[in-house]
Structures are given as C-alpha cells and as structure tokens.
Amino acid sequence: MHTVGHIAEIWRYPVKSMAGERLARAFVARSGLPGDRAWAVRDEAAGEIRGGKKLPALMQCAARFLEHPHDGAIPDVEITLPDGRTIRSRQPDTDGVLSEALARAVTLWPLQPASNRAHYRMGKGFKLRDYRQILGLKAGEPFPDVSPMSIRLLSELAMHVTPPGTYFDAFPLHVLTTASLDAMAATEPSATFDARRFRPNLLVETVEGTEGLAEFDWCGGCLEAGELRVRVEIRTVRCSMPARAQPGLARDPAVMQAVARHADRHLGVYATVERPGLVQVGDPVRFVPASISRPRALARHLHAGVKRGLFQVLSRLIMNP
C-alpha cells in the first residue's frame, strides 16, 4: 500500500448527462454516491432513456438537489436550462418545458427498480452501427477494448441503455487523476482538459512527480480514501461527449482527438465499492495492488481472451452492418 495522491474534488450528477454538484464530503454506499444519476430523461419518440450522447443539449443543462438524498429517497431536483430558466423535477409542466428546451418529446424519470427492465431497454430503432456514432469512431477506426468487462455486463448493455436499476453507463464510480489530465494537455496544448468534461465522481490530485495516465496502472487493485475502499475495475472508454459544450466549457473537438490518438479512447477508470464509507476533499488516497494466484490469473487471462473474441465478432458486425 502506498499513497498516490489526495481527493481534490467529489462530484455527483443528480440528472444523467447534466452538469452536477461539487461536494466537500460524501458517504459512498455500495451503489455509489447517494443521488448520483438519480434522474434521467426518456426520449418518448425513441422509446428509451437517453443521455448526452444522443441528446447533446442535455449537457448544457445543470441540476442540483433541493435537499440531501438519504435513506434511498430521491429528492426533487432543480434544473437550470441553457437559456437560464429553472424548473423543478415534479412541477406539472416539467416534461413540456424540457421537451421544448431539448427540441424533442421527453419525460423526466426518477430511478426505477431493476425489475422494471422495459424502462431500461434500448428502443426498437437501435442498430449495431449506432455504437460507432456514439463513440465518434471514424470509418475503419477500431473499437476500444472492453474485454475487461464481465460477460454479464456486456450482455446487459447489449439490450439496455444502462444496467437495470441504475442510470450509470456501466459502473457506480468514475475516478480520474490530475496526472492524466496533465498528460493529455501536454499532447494537445490548444485543448481544454478540464475535469468537468469527463464527469468524474472522484478527482485524485496525484503526488508530485506522477506522470502519464496514472490510474490505468490501478486496474485490478484497490484505492482507499477516508473510510472508503473501492476496487478499480477497468479503464473508462470515452465517447464523443467530453468534446461537447457544457456550462462554462465551449465545444472542443481537439479534446477527443487527443484522447483517441494518445490513450486509445480511454481516460479515467471505473470502480466498484468494496467498503462503503465517508470520504472528503483532502483525504489521502492509497493504492493497494491486486493479490492474485497464478491459477486465478490464468483463468482471468483465458476469460478475457474469450471476451475479446466475442467483441471482435461484434465489432465486425458493427463496422459492416
């Protein structure tokens, strides 16, 4: 175990794809930060939950809770629209005002139970080639490697917009480091590598002398900060969202061009919670390397090979629909 930095920022995002709230401290549960992605917008014409990948105007909205989430309750949120107007989640005309602002018939939904799988299912019009557009891939550009994801999760995401019971893209926590932002900025000085573009829950300011994409080396190990312990699962695959405009940040295509060229479309890491607990800004962050036996390591290697093979088949289908 060794110290790799300290918690510089803590963020939760009350509404999926909208700008969120910066916190000084938070109790992180096994399901993530209470209230994180507690609401989402459903596109009624498409028949599915949608985020900024398909409704970019969502990213120019901001949301905040009117009271602190607790005991599993989902409080009302106040949403600031791109034109500066504010609405509240449960006021009678919310869906109409949002639809007007997004130029699309939408409804605002609190998180639904996992048993309501139809709520999370992809719309009937979704096609495999849409994945290329979501990721912003050019013709012939290979897909990022997602083989570290479990087959179960990949199967769920093949049929659902998000894992049922959550509005997360894949995992409950997203961790990013200042070292990675600095490394990317060095490759493209004209681009603005602001942490807000990448929507982390935890921004780790790394210790002096740390260089490169530091969090990539943490995959498979654990991080501890305050009372919290999380397992670092996989590198975060980046779509085109970070390059889009959002409050305080202009559209900047050079951001994702740099991430694609120099980081294989990955930046930050996803994590799951091993030990819930309180974490606050300033807490030292310690890295605990993975401990794994040789037979288990071989099993993981073979499992990853099977998944890579499956995804290569999927990739060919997507690239040649």
Side-chain angles (χ1 to χ4, degrees):
M1 182 187 297
H2 62 279
T3 299
V4 293
H6 68 268
I7 300 294
E9 297 176 8
I10 303 171
W11 289 87
R12 71 178 173 209
Y13 307 89
V15 181
K16 183 176 179 63
S17 290
M18 294 187 185
E21 300 176 302
R22 189 170 172 177
L23 308 173
R25 59 191 306 198
F27 181 88
V28 183
R30 290 201 179 276
S31 56
L33 274 75
D36 190 34
R37 278 82 170 188
W39 294 82
V41 167
R42 177 180 168 86
D43 185 324
E44 293 302 328
E48 67 178 24
I49 295 296
R50 284 198 166 173
K53 299 177 184 70
K54 293 187 177 181
L55 291 177
L58 280 174
M59 299 188 66
Q60 298 184 49
C61 302
R64 70 179 186 90
F65 282 113
L66 296 175
E67 60 182 75
H68 187 68
H70 63 281
D71 299 329
I74 301 177
D76 279 349
V77 289
E78 181 181 80
I79 296 171
T80 301
L81 301 172
D83 62 7
R85 288 180 295 162
T86 61
I87 56 173
R88 294 190 172 187
S89 49
R90 291 188 171 97
Q91 69 186 51
D93 62 343
T94 294
D95 292 340
V97 174
L98 267 179
S99 297
E100 179 187 1
L102 300 175
R104 191 84 175 173
V106 300
T107 51
L108 182 66
W109 285 79
L111 193 64
Q112 298 296 295
S115 58
N116 185 3
R117 300 185 76 84
H119 175 73
Y120 298 95
R121 198 163 291 131
M122 290 181 181
K124 293 181 180 179
F126 188 87
K127 294 181 173 56
L128 290 175
R129 63 174 174 268
D130 293 341
Y131 279 116
R132 294 195 65 81
Q133 183 179 1
I134 288 172
L135 292 173
L137 296 176
K138 298 177 181 178
E141 188 175 354
F143 276 78
D145 180 19
V146 297
S147 61
M149 283 191 187
S150 70
I151 291 176
R152 178 180 177 181
L153 180 56
L154 285 171
S155 299
E156 284 189 333
L157 295 178
M159 296 183 292
H160 303 93
V161 177
T162 63
T166 81
Y167 288 144
F168 303 127
D169 283 348
F171 294 91
L173 284 179
H174 178 220
V175 181
L176 182 65
T177 66
T178 55
S180 285
L181 293 174
D182 292 344
M184 285 291 97
T187 69
E188 189 58 61
S190 66
T192 305
F193 279 90
D194 189 297
R196 290 173 295 170
R197 290 193 180 278
F198 301 95
R199 307 291 172 101
N201 295 116
L202 302 175
L203 178 67
V204 177
E205 184 169 333
T206 44
V207 295
E208 186 176 354
T210 304
E211 296 182 351
L213 306 172
E215 59 267 41
F216 288 4
D217 293 333
W218 300 343
C219 290
C222 291
L223 296 175
E224 294 184 350
E227 300 171 350
L228 179 66
R229 180 183 173 105
V230 304
R231 175 167 296 281
V232 182
E233 300 289 353
I234 67 169
R235 302 177 183 186
T236 304
V237 177
R238 310 308 322 197
C239 63
S240 57
M241 283 178 60
R244 292 175 175 166
Q246 54 184 287
L249 295 168
R251 180 176 177 272
D252 193 347
V255 167
M256 279 311 302
Q257 290 168 4
V259 173
R261 282 197 305 268
H262 302 287
D264 192 28
R265 291 191 172 272
H266 296 87
L267 198 67
V269 288
Y270 282 129
T272 52
V273 179
E274 281 207 341
R275 184 180 68 222
L278 182 68
V279 63
Q280 54 189 350
V281 170
D283 280 344
V285 178
R286 297 169 296 279
F287 173 61
V288 184
S291 176
I292 186 168
S293 66
R294 288 188 65 186
R296 192 177 173 195
L298 177 60
R300 279 193 180 180
H301 177 74
L302 293 174
H303 192 219
V306 170
K307 285 187 289 183
R308 277 194 294 271
L310 289 172
F311 197 73
Q312 285 171 3
V313 172
L314 179 61
S315 300
R316 293 189 188 101
L317 289 173
I318 297 169
M319 293 171 66
N320 302 285

